[in-house]
Amino acid sequence: MPNRRASHGRLVLLLAAAILLFWAGAAGAATPVNFWTTEVARDRQAVIEYLAKVFTIFNPDVEVHVTGVEENAMAGTLEAAIREGRGPDMIGCASNLVVAFGNRGWMDRDGAARVIDAVGRKRFFAGTLSRVSLPDGRPCGIPFNGWIQGVWYRKDWFEAAGLAPPDTWDALLKAARTLHDPAHGRYGILVGTRNDAYAEQVFTHLAKSAGVREFTPDGKVVFDSPATVRTLEFYAELARYTPPGPQWWRGRDYYLQGRLAMMFYSTFIMDDLAVPSVAADSLTGRNFADLKGAPYDGFLPEKTGMVSSLTGTRTAGYGVLHALGLVKSGDPARREAARRFARFLFREDAYVTWLHMAPGGMMPVLQDITASPAFYRDPQGIFHKYRRKRLESILAGFDSLQSFEFEDGRIIPEAAQVSAAGVIGRMIEETLSGRATPEQAVHEAAERMKAIAGQRPVR
């Protein structure tokens, strides 16, 4: 984790200069703003509390209280608090939760729109705004940060082989076939080959680029389709060029040891590629019998490309978006104070400080942040190793974010239940093991979805 003092250095002078404002603040009790965030780790809480203190020094008429709430507990905790009249003024959590809360009438949607307009609507990636909006186009919250999945690939190998970047199905498969050389310990691509979340994430990215849906907005299962079968067949073809054995996210070790041409992975891999101490565990070889260990390649970030949007029959990005939500309140002063705090968090110095809590895991939703020199000065020097053009290419995935759980401005709650039940991973495992054809596996997965949605008895 980055050194907290270093990550906050850009605000120290501001904090010191603002002390005078604190003593010169308006008389009377400050308006409280209760901010609930799913960033519960102690070091991250310290950063957020620091930002809250800086805000209150510049705004002595407001007092911000930060509370960590586990993401899985946010919905129940918020519902109970609102019912008892002690709800927070602002929350920070996954965008799907903010939209779900907006559907229940808990979010100050006008306030969210005002903050977006104040920050600059055109500064946001359009895909992030759509992910927090209902069909009427009005936002339930404010996009804040997130991570993006894509295909990370060896640019130097691609250039030597005359291959195009793997941003389409055809280019992806051609590269996997061309660069697969198991006789010399080199593999074409990493996809998940066991029943787990990683396999589901890879499949989802491919499936959304083929227009696959699990449910219609009114809850009808539509997964059993030719597009789904084609996606599963394509997934099985890619799996032929994956390292042997049941593969999961740890297969990234092959890439870090220079034995893998491509891998599906999120932007969380950025620090592993750029920082020797972070990559060290993947270089030991202890996770796979056929990996004996390797030295760290300091040029790997420069040798690596990434495509965040894939095109099959359409273009799709995949990832997770976090948002700020303003909670409805009968107190106009508290509503306005919460909006002011939300706007403050988008100030360049405050926003960059937040993003530096987890470089790669917290990517900016504002398109112009890549023009900020401060953005590249994270304590570990991660962003500096990727440069602006490459980061802009990665962030472009935010413009085409897709998921099974959010379709046409509507939350599909059944899709979350399907994910929790491991239906997609099981479908992939059944196909790759040969226990079912793609058609059979897709049909059976659709039947499980119907059972989960209560559309047929559970067998």
Side-chain angles (χ1 to χ4, degrees), residues 266-342:
S266 77
T267 45
F268 275 98
I269 196 66
M270 292 174 71
D271 58 348
D272 295 84
L273 296 175
V275 182
S277 61
V278 179
D281 185 54
S282 294
L283 300 174
T284 62
R286 68 181 182 180
N287 294 304
F288 297 96
D290 59 337
L291 287 180
K292 304 305 181 184
Y296 173 73
D297 183 352
F299 293 100
L300 191 56
E302 287 74 22
K303 296 174 181 176
T304 296
M306 191 268 209
V307 294
S308 53
S309 296
L310 291 176
T311 302
T313 58
R314 63 193 67 188
T315 299
Y318 177 79
V320 167
L321 178 68
H322 285 84
L324 302 176
L326 302 173
V327 182
K328 278 187 176 179
S329 165
D331 187 333
R334 294 183 68 156
R335 290 200 304 271
E336 180 56 30
R339 293 168 193 162
R340 285 163 57 191
F341 181 50

Side-chain angles (χ1 to χ4, degrees), residues 36 38 69-83 88 91 93 96-98 100-101 104 106:
W36 289 6
T38 53
V69 180
E70 292 287 349
E71 186 148 19
N72 291 335
M74 178 64 86
T77 305
L78 181 59
E79 181 175 17
I82 289 175
R83 186 171 57 245
I91 59 173
C93 58
N96 282 2
L97 284 176
V98 173
F101 300 155
R104 300 190 68 171
W106 296 347

Side-chain angles (χ1 to χ4, degrees), residues 1 15 19 21 39 44 82 150 176 181 184 194 361 386 398:
M1 182 56 61
L15 181 60
I19 295 296
L21 290 176
E39 299 297 342
R44 297 188 183 185
I82 289 175
D181 186 9
H184 294 90
R194 70 180 195 182
Y386 288 89
F398 274 136

Side-chain angles (χ1 to χ4, degrees), residues 1-3 7 10 44 146-147 152 266-275 278 352-364 375-384 386 391:
M1 182 56 61
N3 179 276
S7 69
R10 68 186 56 84
R44 297 188 183 185
W147 58 260
W152 301 79
S266 77
T267 45
F268 275 98
I269 196 66
M270 292 174 71
D271 58 348
D272 295 84
L273 296 175
V275 182
V278 179
V352 168
T353 296
W354 187 296
L355 298 175
H356 285 179
M357 285 194 285
M362 294 179 177
M363 299 296 279
F375 177 63
Y376 299 90
R377 292 197 292 266
D378 63 279
Q380 291 179 305
I382 294 169
F383 289 133
H384 178 72
Y386 288 89
L391 283 166

Side-chain angles (χ1 to χ4, degrees), residues 5-192:
R5 181 174 299 173
S7 69
H8 304 156
R10 68 186 56 84
L11 290 181
V12 170
L13 292 178
L14 288 174
L15 181 60
I19 295 296
L20 293 177
L21 290 176
F22 177 78
W23 294 111
T31 300
V33 169
N34 292 321
F35 176 42
W36 289 6
T37 172
T38 53
E39 299 297 342
V40 297
R42 182 175 298 178
D43 50 0
R44 297 188 183 185
Q45 282 272 305
V47 174
I48 298 168
E49 288 171 359
Y50 181 88
L51 290 172
K53 172 58 82 175
V54 173
F55 169 78
T56 56
I57 288 175
F58 278 98
N59 298 267
D61 59 325
V62 180
E63 185 176 15
V64 177
H65 304 278
V66 179
T67 301
V69 180
E70 292 287 349
E71 186 148 19
N72 291 335
M74 178 64 86
T77 305
L78 181 59
E79 181 175 17
I82 289 175
R83 186 171 57 245
E84 296 168 10
R86 54 175 182 83
D89 303 286
M90 191 169 94
I91 59 173
C93 58
S95 62
N96 282 2
L97 284 176
V98 173
V99 173
F101 300 155
N103 267 316
R104 300 190 68 171
W106 296 347
M107 296 289 101
D108 176 7
R109 298 177 66 192
D110 289 337
R114 285 173 57 184
V115 172
I116 289 170
D117 288 338
V119 173
R121 185 173 294 269
K122 291 184 178 180
R123 296 178 65 197
F124 290 89
F125 287 98
T128 66
L129 290 174
S130 67
R131 284 291 292 268
V132 298
S133 301
L134 296 181
D136 62 9
R138 293 172 58 226
C140 294
I142 308 109
F144 196 50
N145 65 68
W147 58 260
I148 303 166
Q149 177 174 278
V151 180
W152 301 79
Y153 65 100
R154 286 294 298 262
K155 286 194 304 181
D156 52 339
W157 297 1
F158 272 64
E159 290 167 2
L163 294 166
D167 55 359
T168 68
W169 280 28
D170 288 343
L172 196 64
L173 183 57
K174 181 179 179 180
R177 287 172 171 166
T178 301
L179 298 175
H180 189 64
D181 186 9
H184 294 90
R186 180 184 290 186
Y187 303 95
I189 192 168
L190 175 70
V191 298

